[in-house]
Amino acid sequence: MSAVALTTETVAISAPRGRRFAPAVYLTAAACVAVIVIMSGPLIPSFLASIKAPDDASASPPDYLPQALSFANYEKVIGFQAGLATYVENSLLVALMTIAACIALAAPAGFGLARFSMRGKEIAFLVLLAPIMIPYQAILTPLYLDFAKVGLVNTHFGLAIVHTVLQLPFSIYLMRNSFEAIPREIEEAAMIDGCSAWRRLTFVFLPLAVPGLVTVALFAFITSWNEFLAALIFMSRETSFTVPILLVSVRIGHHGAVDWGALQASVVISIIPCLAIYLALQRYYMSGLLSGAVK
């Protein structure tokens, strides 16, 4: 019996570590698959409803599987009012301006907070983060009145400023963490070579903080792409509307009823850019979001 036990122990010790922890790997994979199924659960009925015939999508009680394949809902969304291409172009323009403004403002602010010693730096950082606690709906009315005085109402540039105000505090937080994660020896070597603070930021820190910059850009894009209330308030021309306004407008069917098929088709279309950008930049996004977590 002791020889058998000794042999079993020897085999367990000599077994590869990957095989020894195989059950934990399988459990982790199963948990990931379960999370994917749960998170994609609402998307599957939306897609199925988008490929139903309009009458089939509005049937009561609803059928979860389409009786016949139809792309009439997508045709309605593509040709709705000014056209889907116009709304997508407007949303992309506002999102790109928001991304550029967030990076241009958050990178120097995060660099200064991460690398310079100054009196009251932490208090200034808390003041910059404080707007996160204020519901942005509370500032839309005064912003609208101020923008109306300077002619920024009903312009994509004005809407991009609003989206930048919403996203900037979190962007500064991300950039500060990214710059703090860079070893100080790199900065000291740049200082010995005679680099000024601006050159250290542009030629040394920004290339090393690419994951943080990508994370800021991704969050700014998603925030701008999905924002509805400010776009509804600041935009009044049909040709200036963004995709979220399209989602609300296209759902109105005959006699005020909800056109569920067209609504779900517009939802599917609006998700595609966010999903594509996230999957393309996932590697940078994860490392940028966790930068500064381990000291």
Side-chain angles (χ1 to χ4, degrees), residues 118-136:
M118 64 188 79
R119 182 177 302 177
K121 181 176 70 173
E122 296 302 324
I123 297 177
F125 181 56
L126 293 177
V127 171
L128 291 174
L129 291 182
I132 295 179
M133 299 181 291
I134 302 175
Y136 83 98

Side-chain angles (χ1 to χ4, degrees), residues 28-229:
T28 303
C32 292
V33 171
V35 171
I36 293 174
V37 171
I38 294 174
M39 298 301 293
S40 61
L43 302 179
I44 296 175
S46 296
F47 174 73
L48 294 177
S50 68
I51 58 177
K52 292 180 181 179
D55 294 336
D56 189 13
S58 302
S60 181
D63 294 326
Y64 291 100
L65 296 178
Q67 301 297 326
L69 186 63
S70 174
F71 295 99
N73 296 315
Y74 288 95
E75 293 175 359
K76 177 181 177 180
V77 173
I78 292 174
F80 185 75
Q81 291 182 355
L84 177 64
T86 300
Y87 301 126
V88 171
E89 181 181 351
N90 294 337
S91 291
L92 287 176
L93 178 61
V94 175
L96 290 177
M97 288 191 292
T98 302
I99 291 172
C102 285
I103 292 178
L105 296 175
F111 178 71
L113 291 170
R115 291 300 179 175
F116 291 111
S117 298
M118 64 188 79
R119 182 177 302 177
K121 181 176 70 173
E122 296 302 324
I123 297 177
F125 181 56
L126 293 177
V127 171
L128 291 174
L129 291 182
I132 295 179
M133 299 181 291
I134 302 175
Y136 83 98
Q137 295 86 349
I139 65 174
L140 289 181
T141 299
L143 278 178
Y144 180 86
L145 296 176
D146 291 338
F147 280 19
K149 296 178 181 178
V150 296
L152 290 177
V153 172
N154 209 34
T155 64
H156 295 128
F157 181 69
L159 184 59
I161 293 177
V162 177
H163 292 172
T164 302
V165 171
L166 301 181
Q167 187 60 29
L168 189 58
F170 186 61
S171 300
I172 294 175
Y173 170 78
L174 289 176
M175 291 310 304
R176 183 193 185 188
N177 286 348
S178 298
F179 289 135
E180 284 183 341
I182 297 175
R184 189 164 293 276
E185 290 78 9
I186 296 178
E187 181 181 14
E188 293 175 352
M191 295 175 65
I192 293 175
D193 290 338
C195 287
S196 62
W198 181 251
R199 291 179 63 86
R200 292 199 303 271
L201 171 63
T202 54
F203 294 103
V204 178
F205 280 86
L206 287 182
L208 295 175
V210 169
L213 294 173
V214 171
T215 305
V216 169
L218 182 61
F219 272 98
F221 176 83
I222 293 177
T223 298
S224 178
W225 182 268
N226 294 323
E227 201 283 323
F228 166 73
L229 186 57

